[in-house]
Amino acid sequence: MTAAERLPATAVVVPRPRVTRREVVVVAVVTLAFALLLVVWALVTPMFQAPDEAAHVDAVLHLALGGHWDAPGQLHYLNATRAAVDSAASTPPLQRPTVGALLAAHPGESVLVDQMSQHPPTYYLAAAVVLRILHLHDLRWDVAVVVLRLVDALLVAPLPVLVWATVRRLTRAPRLAAVAPFALFAVPQLAQIGSSVTNEAPVFLLGGLLTWFGVRILTGDRRWWTTLALGLTFAVLASVKATGLPAVLFVAVVVLAARALPWRARLSRAGVALAIGVVLGSWWWVHCLVAFHTPLPNGLAGLTPVTPWPPGSTRNPGLFVDQQWDGLTRSFWGEFGGFQFPMTPIVTDLLSLVALLAIAWSFTRRFPQRGAVVALGALPASVLLAVVAYDWRSYGGLHQIGGTQGRFLFVALVAAIAMSAVAWSALVVRPVLRRRAARVLVVAAPAVGAYGLSVAYRGEYEQTNLGITRPGLAHLAYTTPLGSHTLAVVGVLMAVAVVVAVVLAWRWCGLGSGRDTTGREAPPTPVPSVTATVPATATDRLPDVD
């Protein structure tokens, strides 16, 4: 399709700022720093001390060894997995056996149920293929776990690029887009989960891709390939985990809200995108509905005890809301280990309130991207509603409040950061304040990330005491799977990359006293975006604004 076919006879075009070398360098260094941070987390987190990691590793091993994907509640832990879990803290890495030796010493399955077969086998099959390629039986078992952790880190590492591309497309503000990825450092829970063995890692990446395609459509991309990519991304997302299913609302909303298309085209393209997602992404859920009479089977059904209600009581909405807020905010920003090492509530509550109030407050202002932000909000809103609804239903069935996991919201993290970026750009108008706000983010976000890493370290190696001691460092060196020298090298590289990223972004934000953080000349008062009316005869000479 030519440019002339993508534009109507008279179109309003907002020029897209050219990507400069400095912008590319800033984004590249931020991405490198984030990737190295994920590797540090993968080496610092003790074996199986990330949420549900033992269950995920066991599920991968089942398929890598040629086992079947049993029905929910019928998959049992391998005795070899249980032996690895039991010996992880007491055995130094060089004395840990290979996977083949571990299986020979501990054959068969235990009676303990692995609930992960309630999920589609998509992620586990892909991870099993990786282990088979690397000759699973010859790998030391902790090295096999680290390999899976690094594969997941590789999946999560592109998130800074997706944040940059999404914010840049939405705002056409190069400097705002370049500093927006720093917000990822302020969510240390993302780094811990994203560097562990989990089926959440591809969900984070696919959620970011879905957001980027959606923003392209919202901002005038009329090409069919973008609509098809949106539907295909949703299909893959739905094939990995149930947390991707609420995105069906987002897919419909962003296409129907695409003002560059006439209504008939919006309806047809929304139908195509949804059809692709349903046809290619619903196979597991249809199978569960037919085989188990529910689209969302519970891998621990009948195994979770039901707490009796106190006499004359039932579900308490006030208690539910209070625990949902505490649980979701705490486990969104940072609740490490097996959820036993949380960041202080002062920090998590403050971060949550600032983020939510900024978005809400921005809607008191008039800004060009308001409609796009509302459509973008369909993703985090639908995911949050689904999580809360599931927890409320579970509360009624088990008589206890559980499942309040903030990591389930990470599928919409890129969308949430993009909404926050637009909100702050609408609230902070003065150029001087914009530069200061950008610099605060550039410095404060890595500081929060370092604080979160310190909480996890102190919890795992210092018995939550303040400070860094020789016994704590010795314990870390004793247990880290690739050795203390590898961890030290990666840690130094990460620190250097973070410092370089902060310096580059700080200096770029302050370039030119008359410029704001968007890279445009800052007028004394807000003005509408510069537009140009383009005749149809000139469209074939225009650069691609899609």
Side-chain angles (χ1 to χ4, degrees):
M1 182 181 292
T2 65
E5 293 173 313
R6 291 196 298 271
L7 290 170
T10 301
V12 176
V13 179
V14 180
R16 183 174 54 188
R18 182 174 61 90
V19 178
T20 64
R21 181 179 300 177
R22 184 185 294 273
E23 183 180 1
V24 172
V25 169
V26 172
V27 175
V29 175
V30 172
T31 303
L32 175 62
F34 183 69
L36 290 171
L37 176 65
L38 293 172
V39 177
V40 168
W41 272 98
L43 299 180
V44 168
T45 304
M47 293 287 100
F48 308 115
Q49 288 304 302
D52 299 324
E53 187 171 49
H56 290 299
V57 171
D58 182 74
V60 173
L61 289 178
H62 269 281
L63 295 181
L65 297 172
H68 298 289
W69 196 243
D70 295 328
Q74 301 300 315
L75 186 70
H76 292 264
Y77 276 90
L78 296 170
N79 284 322
T81 305
R82 299 306 308 163
V85 172
D86 294 339
S87 63
S90 59
T91 307
L94 294 180
Q95 295 181 17
R96 292 167 180 167
T98 64
V99 174
L102 192 67
L103 289 167
H106 304 276
E109 297 181 348
S110 70
V111 296
L112 191 63
V113 172
D114 183 342
Q115 72 182 87
M116 292 306 153
S117 60
Q118 69 187 18
H119 301 299
T122 312
Y123 164 81
Y124 304 98
L125 281 170
V129 169
V130 172
L131 291 185
R132 292 290 294 268
I133 292 174
L134 296 177
H135 303 286
L136 170 65
H137 286 77
D138 298 330
L139 293 175
R140 212 174 64 208
W141 70 258
D142 60 330
V143 173
V145 174
V146 170
V147 166
L148 295 178
R149 285 182 173 184
L150 294 180
V151 168
D152 286 356
L154 185 64
L155 292 174
V156 179
L159 285 185
V161 177
L162 289 172
V163 170
W164 165 72
T166 300
V167 174
R168 200 179 199 277
R169 179 80 189 190
L170 193 60
T171 64
R172 297 187 181 273
R175 291 183 186 168
L176 176 62
V179 300
F182 278 91
L184 294 169
F185 290 91
V187 191
Q189 186 75 66
L190 171 70
Q192 191 218 18
I193 300 296
S195 61
S196 66
V197 184
T198 174
N199 61 354
E200 299 278 358
V203 170
F204 303 161
L205 174 63
L206 292 166
L209 283 171
L210 193 76
T211 302
W212 179 56
F213 288 128
V215 166
R216 291 188 65 89
I217 293 173
L218 285 170
T219 53
D221 192 329
R222 298 159 55 93
R223 291 175 290 191
W224 263 104
W225 80 262
T226 311
T227 303
L228 297 177
L230 181 74
L232 183 60
T233 303
F234 171 60
V236 180
L237 179 60
S239 299
V240 175
K241 194 167 183 179
T243 48
L245 295 179
V248 64
L249 177 63
F250 175 76
V251 172
V253 167
V254 294
V255 180
L256 293 176
R259 299 178 62 184
L261 295 169
W263 267 107
R264 182 175 297 179
R266 298 186 210 181
L267 291 172
S268 62
R269 295 194 183 200
V272 169
L274 292 173
I276 291 174
V278 171
V279 172
L280 300 181
S282 64
W283 56 273
W284 172 257
W285 315 110
V286 172
H287 160 72
C288 291
L289 186 61
V290 172
F292 314 121
H293 309 294
T294 175
L296 297 173
N298 184 354
L300 296 176
L303 300 177
T304 305
V306 178
T307 304
W309 292 116
S313 66
T314 182
R315 284 184 288 195
N316 185 332
L319 177 65
F320 177 80
V321 170
D322 180 65
Q323 292 199 18
Q324 285 289 300
W325 170 265
D326 290 342
L328 289 175
T329 56
R330 195 169 55 236
S331 59
F332 179 90
W333 299 102
E335 192 174 34
F336 310 113
F339 309 117
Q340 71 269 40
F341 307 124
M343 293 165 58
T344 175
I346 297 175
V347 173
T348 56
D349 285 347
L350 180 62
L351 291 171
S352 302
L353 288 173
V354 168
L356 294 174
L357 290 177
I359 294 174
W361 188 16
S362 69
F363 278 89
T364 65
R365 309 289 181 90
R366 300 184 66 86
F367 55 95
Q369 304 92 350
R370 179 185 289 185
V373 170
V374 172
L376 198 58
L379 184 57
S382 59
V383 174
L384 177 61
L385 181 61
V387 170
V388 173
Y390 184 85
D391 291 347
W392 178 255
R393 178 187 174 189
S394 176
Y395 183 22
L398 300 176
H399 304 176
Q400 54 185 322
I401 302 172
T404 52
Q405 297 304 316
R407 70 179 188 272
F408 295 158
L409 306 178
F410 290 159
V411 64
L413 185 58
V414 173
I417 292 175
M419 293 172 66
S420 295
V422 175
W424 283 106
S425 67
L427 293 173
V428 183
V429 177
R430 292 177 56 191
V432 173
L433 294 180
R434 284 192 171 190
R435 288 196 296 272
R436 291 175 181 173
R439 285 175 165 176
V440 166
L441 173 64
V442 164
V443 174
V448 174
Y451 164 63
L453 185 59
S454 74
V455 171
Y457 166 79
R458 289 185 287 109
E460 297 287 0
Y461 302 105
E462 302 284 358
Q463 289 75 50
T464 70
N465 295 320
L466 293 175
I468 299 176
T469 65
R470 286 188 177 181
L473 291 174
H475 187 197
L476 172 59
Y478 179 80
T479 57
T480 186
L482 300 187
S484 57
H485 291 89
T486 301
L487 175 59
V489 170
V490 176
V492 170
L493 291 175
M494 178 204 69
V496 171
V498 170
V499 170
V500 171
V502 169
V503 171
L504 289 175
W506 180 282
R507 293 180 63 185
W508 196 32
C509 291
L511 282 180
S513 59
R515 294 180 179 270
D516 65 8
T517 57
T518 67
R520 297 190 292 267
E521 291 293 336
T525 56
V527 297
S529 300
V530 178
T531 60
T533 302
V534 184
T537 56
T539 53
D540 57 345
R541 296 192 298 273
L542 282 176
D544 184 7
V545 297
D546 288 340

Short mmCIF file of all heavy atoms in Angstrom, two decimals, residues 4 58 102 121 144 147 159 233 285 318 335:
data_model
loop_
_atom_site.label_atom_id
_atom_site.label_comp_id
_atom_site.label_asym_id
_atom_site.label_seq_id
_atom_site.Cartn_x
_atom_site.Cartn_y
_atom_site.Cartn_z
N ALA A 4 -0.03 7.34 -0.67
CA ALA A 4 -1.25 7.99 -1.13
C ALA A 4 -2.49 7.22 -0.74
O ALA A 4 -3.55 7.78 -0.48
CB ALA A 4 -1.20 8.17 -2.66
N ASP A 58 10.42 -27.67 37.50
CA ASP A 58 9.96 -29.06 37.46
C ASP A 58 9.10 -29.31 36.22
O ASP A 58 9.24 -30.35 35.57
CB ASP A 58 9.15 -29.37 38.73
CG ASP A 58 8.69 -30.81 38.77
OD1 ASP A 58 9.52 -31.70 39.02
OD2 ASP A 58 7.48 -31.05 38.54
N LEU A 102 21.55 -36.56 39.08
CA LEU A 102 20.47 -36.29 40.03
C LEU A 102 19.27 -37.19 39.75
O LEU A 102 18.64 -37.73 40.67
CB LEU A 102 20.07 -34.82 39.95
CG LEU A 102 19.16 -34.28 41.05
CD1 LEU A 102 19.89 -34.27 42.39
CD2 LEU A 102 18.69 -32.86 40.71
N PRO A 121 1.06 -25.43 27.85
CA PRO A 121 2.44 -25.92 27.86
C PRO A 121 3.38 -25.11 26.98
O PRO A 121 4.55 -25.48 26.84
CB PRO A 121 2.29 -27.34 27.34
CG PRO A 121 1.11 -27.27 26.43
CD PRO A 121 0.17 -26.29 27.07
N ALA A 144 21.63 -25.58 34.74
CA ALA A 144 20.41 -25.68 33.94
C ALA A 144 19.38 -24.64 34.37
O ALA A 144 18.72 -24.01 33.53
CB ALA A 144 19.82 -27.09 34.06
N VAL A 147 20.56 -21.24 33.13
CA VAL A 147 20.30 -21.12 31.69
C VAL A 147 18.86 -20.68 31.45
O VAL A 147 18.59 -19.76 30.65
CB VAL A 147 20.59 -22.45 30.98
CG1 VAL A 147 20.01 -22.44 29.56
CG2 VAL A 147 22.08 -22.71 30.92
N LEU A 159 12.30 -4.63 26.98
CA LEU A 159 11.25 -3.73 27.46
C LEU A 159 11.63 -2.24 27.39
O LEU A 159 10.79 -1.41 27.05
CB LEU A 159 10.85 -4.10 28.90
CG LEU A 159 10.00 -5.36 29.06
CD1 LEU A 159 9.59 -5.54 30.51
CD2 LEU A 159 8.78 -5.32 28.17
N THR A 233 -0.05 -11.11 17.98
CA THR A 233 0.58 -10.95 19.30
C THR A 233 -0.38 -11.36 20.41
O THR A 233 0.01 -12.03 21.38
CB THR A 233 1.05 -9.51 19.50
OG1 THR A 233 1.93 -9.13 18.45
CG2 THR A 233 1.75 -9.34 20.84
N TRP A 285 -7.66 -23.07 26.04
CA TRP A 285 -8.81 -22.76 26.86
C TRP A 285 -10.04 -23.52 26.39
O TRP A 285 -10.87 -23.94 27.21
CB TRP A 285 -9.05 -21.26 26.87
CG TRP A 285 -7.76 -20.53 27.07
CD1 TRP A 285 -7.07 -19.77 26.18
CD2 TRP A 285 -6.94 -20.54 28.27
NE1 TRP A 285 -5.90 -19.31 26.72
CE2 TRP A 285 -5.79 -19.77 28.00
CE3 TRP A 285 -7.09 -21.14 29.51
CZ2 TRP A 285 -4.80 -19.57 28.94
CZ3 TRP A 285 -6.09 -20.94 30.46
CH2 TRP A 285 -4.96 -20.17 30.17
N GLY A 318 -14.64 -4.57 52.92
CA GLY A 318 -13.64 -3.64 53.41
C GLY A 318 -12.29 -4.31 53.61
O GLY A 318 -11.24 -3.77 53.22
N GLU A 335 8.49 -7.49 46.49
CA GLU A 335 8.27 -8.44 47.60
C GLU A 335 9.07 -9.68 47.22
O GLU A 335 8.60 -10.53 46.48
CB GLU A 335 6.78 -8.74 47.77
CG GLU A 335 6.45 -9.47 49.05
CD GLU A 335 4.96 -9.62 49.25
OE1 GLU A 335 4.23 -9.76 48.25
OE2 GLU A 335 4.52 -9.59 50.41
#
